[in-house]
Amino acid sequence: MLSSLHMEISDVEHALLDVDTSVINYDKLQKLYENRPLQEEIQAIEKASAKVTKDEGALDKPEQFLFELSKIPHFSERMHCIIFQPGFTENLTIIDSKLNNLKLTCQTLLSEKGVQSVMSLILAVGNHMNGGSRVRGQADGFNIEILPNLRDVKSQDNSTSLLYYVVHSYRSLYVPSGEAENAKFPLPEPADVGQAALVNFDDVLSEMKKIDRDISDCSKQAAKVIQGSEDNQQPFKDIMDKFLARANKSLKEVRESFAECQTQFDQVCMYYSWKPKSGKEPTPKTFFSQWVAFTSEFKDVWKKEQQRVIKEKVIEAKLRIQQKRALVQKPPTQKAKPEGLVSFASEFEKLKNSSNF
């Protein structure tokens, strides 16, 4: 395994002492760390090395490599601290991205005018369809569980759906005619809603706690290096001090973002009066699952409407071009010269109106 990494011990020493991964990257250091010699193995190699004489020959190449590696001050702790950094950044970025997406999706559902207009249309259409009922025909709101079912409500001839009618009505009422083909989508993007539905607050909390423990462990490993390596503290000490300070700050910011996420999610659930039928506390999965299919199907119809508008404009433009060509190609009409009595009467009128008459 070690031979496949193609590493020189001098390069490893440089990487560990100077915290420089320009020659040996993180992946190779990770594999080396996974195959690092344990204390018992180091002791066995040292005994074998002490017995080596010219007659008995030298250590095998892998053993010689591990023997020299063990001579680097606190090689294991140094490797741990170095390879922890990119993994930490990646894991925290993933969590932060999830939380930011959930916050933005909640904000869209809470404050975007397009969402409010779509919901108003659905309520108005629902009240009209239930006009014969005193209770259902005068509703002030509706349960968002009906959103995925709008596509299934068909017209009498089965040619269109309630979802299509809502999309068409929204575009007619709220989209200026000159912006029809480039109108802004009024709902959250389906992909964002789908990602928001995957967020599990308990899992995120566990992940943050694990990252906190990992930072603490890394800090302890760094302290061992610093306290036990008076001659080789720098630049390791300065680099790790800066990293650990930045890591703790970043984790604090993500924790604050997590608290904001929970608050906004509670607000959006309250705004839409959402309570799962199971009676359990709302979760992003139970809430956003009501929106995933709806936003996706709404966007499909939205795109079709945009294509229809573009097609109509193309047809209108072609028609105008044809009309202009027809006018250019048509010869100019000339007045026919009057003859006979008509000609005589015309000439008489000219003479009568002249000053010589």
Side-chain angles (χ1 to χ4, degrees), residues 312-323 325:
E312 288 178 354
K313 288 197 172 186
V314 170
I315 293 173
E316 290 174 3
K318 287 181 179 179
L319 184 60
R320 284 196 297 269
I321 292 172
Q322 290 173 358
Q323 290 172 343
R325 286 177 179 172

Side-chain angles (χ1 to χ4, degrees), residues 99-116 184 186-188 192-193 196 257 260-261 263-269 271-272 287-288:
L99 297 177
N100 284 334
N101 177 71
L102 191 145
K103 280 193 292 184
L104 289 173
T105 305
C106 288
Q107 289 170 7
T108 301
L109 292 177
L110 284 169
S111 58
E112 185 66 39
K113 290 183 179 179
V115 176
Q116 296 170 4
K184 180 184 176 184
L187 301 176
D192 293 339
V193 178
S257 179
E260 291 174 9
C261 247
T263 300
Q264 288 211 339
F265 179 70
D266 290 341
Q267 289 175 349
V268 80
C269 287
Y271 182 81
Y272 286 95
F287 175 78
F288 288 109

Side-chain angles (χ1 to χ4, degrees), residues 106-263:
C106 288
Q107 289 170 7
T108 301
L109 292 177
L110 284 169
S111 58
E112 185 66 39
K113 290 183 179 179
V115 176
Q116 296 170 4
S117 299
V118 171
M119 296 298 105
S120 297
L121 275 172
I122 295 173
L123 178 62
V125 172
N127 281 335
H128 178 75
M129 292 174 66
N130 295 314
S133 169
R134 291 184 178 180
V135 178
R136 298 180 65 189
Q138 299 178 11
D140 296 323
F142 59 89
N143 194 316
I144 61 171
E145 286 182 341
I146 73 165
L147 294 177
N149 301 325
L150 296 183
R151 64 176 181 177
D152 299 324
V153 181
K154 304 291 185 179
S155 60
Q156 287 186 347
D157 60 0
N158 211 36
S159 61
T160 188
S161 68
L162 181 55
L163 178 64
Y164 175 84
Y165 180 80
V166 170
V167 175
H168 184 76
S169 298
Y170 177 87
R171 294 179 66 89
S172 300
L173 293 171
Y174 300 107
V175 177
S177 57
E179 303 174 7
E181 65 271 29
N182 296 313
K184 180 184 176 184
F185 185 62
L187 301 176
E189 286 295 326
D192 293 339
V193 178
Q195 288 299 313
L198 297 177
V199 175
N200 184 306
F201 286 139
D202 291 337
D203 289 347
V204 173
L205 187 59
S206 297
E207 289 169 8
M208 289 192 300
K209 288 180 178 178
K210 182 181 183 303
I211 290 175
D212 190 22
R213 290 194 301 270
D214 290 342
I215 293 175
S216 178
D217 185 40
C218 181
S219 180
K220 291 176 182 177
Q221 299 286 344
K224 287 182 181 179
V225 175
I226 295 167
Q227 292 169 7
S229 305
E230 294 182 3
D231 297 333
N232 298 285
Q233 283 188 357
Q234 299 297 352
F236 180 86
K237 182 179 184 302
D238 287 348
I239 291 173
M240 290 308 301
D241 284 347
K242 290 178 181 177
F243 166 74
L244 290 169
R246 188 170 64 250
N248 282 302
K249 181 183 177 183
S250 298
L251 180 58
K252 180 183 177 184
E253 290 172 351
V254 170
R255 280 173 168 163
E256 291 171 353
S257 179
F258 177 73
E260 291 174 9
C261 247
Q262 289 182 308
T263 300

